[in-house]
Amino acid sequence: MKKISLIILITCISITFLLNVAMPEFAGKMKHNISSMNILYSYSVTKTFSEQTHDTIEMASVPSGKTETRDADFRNDVKLEGTPLNIKSVVKEHLNKPQAYKTKEKLTGPEKGFSYRTYYLTKNYDKGRYTVIRTNKITGKEKVYAGTYYEPSTQDPIVKWSRDEK
C-alpha cells in the first residue's frame, strides 16, 4: 500500500512539473487547483470561540460649527498567533473572510453646547483557539498544531460611531 501511495505521489509531482515546463499557460490556470489538492496531507480543523475583541480607531475630531470631508479606507483582517507558516492557509480557509470599509464622507461638528464631535470606527473580532490535525496520507502519522485566531465578527465586523464632547 505504501508503494502504491508513493507511486501516486511521484506521478502527481511529475505531472505538475510537466505542466509548468511544457504548458505554462495551462499550468497557470491549474496551479490553484493543483496546489489546493492536498496530495500528501489531510487536515482536520477545529475552532473554539472564546470572546469578542475590538480595535477602535479615531477617524476625526470636528469642532462645533465646522464640516470636514474625509476618506476612510480600513480593513478588518484575520490575525493568527502561534501559527507555523506551513498551516496558515489551512487555518485561514476555516475563518471568516476579511472585511473592507471604504468611503468618502462629510463629517459635521456637534450641536451648540458641545465643543467637538469625534468620529470612530471599531473593528470587531471573534477570538478563539484553533486545533489542526495534519495526517500524512502515506504513513498515517499525525501532527497537532494549535494557536489563537482573530476573525472578523459575523455580526457587525466594522461599526462607525461618534461622540460629542463638551
Side-chain angles (χ1 to χ4, degrees), residues 49 51-57 74-79 95-101 120-128 149-161:
F49 172 82
E51 65 181 309
Q52 188 175 66
T53 64
H54 62 273
D55 181 18
T56 299
I57 300 164
F74 297 98
R75 226 175 128 77
N76 198 357
D77 286 316
V78 168
K79 300 175 190 174
L95 300 176
N96 295 333
K97 301 299 175 228
Q99 299 290 319
Y101 175 81
Y120 299 93
L121 183 118
T122 298
K123 299 190 270 184
N124 293 310
Y125 294 94
D126 292 338
K127 177 185 177 184
Y149 71 84
Y150 296 83
E151 64 183 340
S153 292
T154 54
Q155 182 177 348
D156 299 326
I158 297 176
V159 177
K160 204 173 47 165
W161 56 284

Side-chain angles (χ1 to χ4, degrees), residues 8-131:
I8 291 171
L9 177 62
I10 291 170
T11 303
C12 289
I13 291 170
S14 299
I15 290 170
T16 303
F17 175 77
L18 289 174
L19 283 174
N20 283 319
V21 173
M23 301 170 52
E25 68 284 349
F26 181 72
K29 293 176 184 174
M30 295 297 291
K31 187 175 185 179
H32 176 70
N33 293 334
I34 290 172
S35 65
S36 64
M37 290 181 356
N38 296 319
I39 298 169
L40 186 56
Y41 298 108
S42 65
Y43 298 90
S44 169
V45 179
T46 306
K47 64 181 195 174
T48 307
F49 172 82
S50 61
E51 65 181 309
Q52 188 175 66
T53 64
H54 62 273
D55 181 18
T56 299
I57 300 164
E58 183 177 320
M59 293 174 42
S61 185
V62 182
S64 180
K66 301 288 182 184
T67 301
E68 295 182 15
T69 301
R70 293 284 170 107
D71 290 330
D73 188 2
F74 297 98
R75 226 175 128 77
N76 198 357
D77 286 316
V78 168
K79 300 175 190 174
L80 299 173
E81 294 176 351
T83 308
L85 284 175
N86 63 331
I87 63 158
K88 277 190 176 189
S89 64
V90 172
V91 175
K92 284 182 177 182
E93 285 177 15
H94 292 82
L95 300 176
N96 295 333
K97 301 299 175 228
Q99 299 290 319
Y101 175 81
K102 186 174 186 172
T103 187
K104 182 175 187 170
E105 54 189 291
K106 187 187 287 187
L107 307 176
T108 59
E111 303 288 323
K112 288 187 176 191
F114 293 94
S115 300
Y116 57 93
R117 176 175 292 151
T118 305
Y119 289 86
Y120 299 93
L121 183 118
T122 298
K123 299 190 270 184
N124 293 310
Y125 294 94
D126 292 338
K127 177 185 177 184
R129 300 275 305 155
Y130 70 83
T131 302

